[in-house]
Every structure is written in structure tokens, then in C-alpha cells.
Amino acid sequence: MMQCEKCGQEIRGRPNFCPSCGTSITFSRAGSEDPLIGRLIDGTYEVESLVGEGAMGRVYRARNIQLRKQVALKILRSTLVNDQTVVKRFEREAQAA
């Protein structure tokens, strides 16, 4: 169990947001650094921080260096890239955004 850094509410399980105040909660493996933070992806996106994590992948705050705009960058889990059903769903989600 953990506590929300903002309101101190005890949090059970792994929700994306504090059930009390709505603050975003990011879970990571203890003692591990995310290898994407600080990297340049595809020569366009500079990854700044991890925003959240779900079943399909992770969402990062990034900066499009060509447009000089902040963006959300969703990275599909490497274990799912060979599952065509998941890949098609991921693509549909991206097109809808």
C-alpha cells in the first residue's frame, strides 16, 4: 500500500489516479530508471517524463523538437508488437486521437 504524495490518502492496488484528489500516480519498478527518459525518439520526440502506464504500454510527456510543442507519446510494450490484434487496436487509438 502507498500514500498519495499530494493528499496523503492511502492507495490500494495500482490505480492511475488518486481516488481522493485525482492526482496522477505513476508506478515504476523500485530502483530502476526508465531508459527512454531523456532520449530522442525518431529524431523528433525528446522524452521528458513518464505520465502513466497501462496494459498496452506507457505514456510519456515529450517535446516535438521540430514544432516546439509538448505532446503525449504512447509506447507499445515490446511483448505486444507481434500481436496483430493489439497493434491494430493501438493504431486505431492513435488515429482517433
Side-chain angles (χ1 to χ4, degrees):
M1 192 172 343
M2 64 178 287
Q3 285 187 323
C4 174
E5 292 179 8
K6 183 174 181 182
C7 72
Q9 173 74 30
E10 286 188 4
I11 299 171
R12 296 174 189 211
R14 292 176 56 96
N16 291 326
F17 299 93
C18 172
S20 178
C21 70
T23 298
S24 177
I25 300 168
T26 301
F27 292 92
S28 61
R29 288 179 220 117
S32 69
E33 291 293 320
D34 191 308
L36 291 182
I37 296 174
R39 289 197 44 204
L40 189 63
I41 305 293
D42 198 32
T44 304
Y45 303 101
E46 184 177 6
V47 180
E48 297 177 344
S49 63
L50 179 65
V51 175
E53 185 173 355
M56 289 179 65
R58 290 181 166 190
V59 178
Y60 295 89
R61 180 174 54 221
R63 179 165 294 282
N64 182 314
I65 60 171
Q66 295 169 350
L67 300 177
R68 291 184 245 158
K69 293 180 87 173
Q70 276 199 338
V71 297
L73 184 64
K74 187 169 186 178
I75 305 292
L76 186 63
R77 292 188 188 283
S78 60
T79 57
L80 299 176
V81 296
N82 293 322
D83 184 332
Q84 289 304 307
T85 302
V86 172
V87 171
K88 288 188 185 303
R89 179 177 168 202
F90 187 79
E91 290 172 349
R92 282 193 308 270
E93 183 180 300
Q95 290 170 350

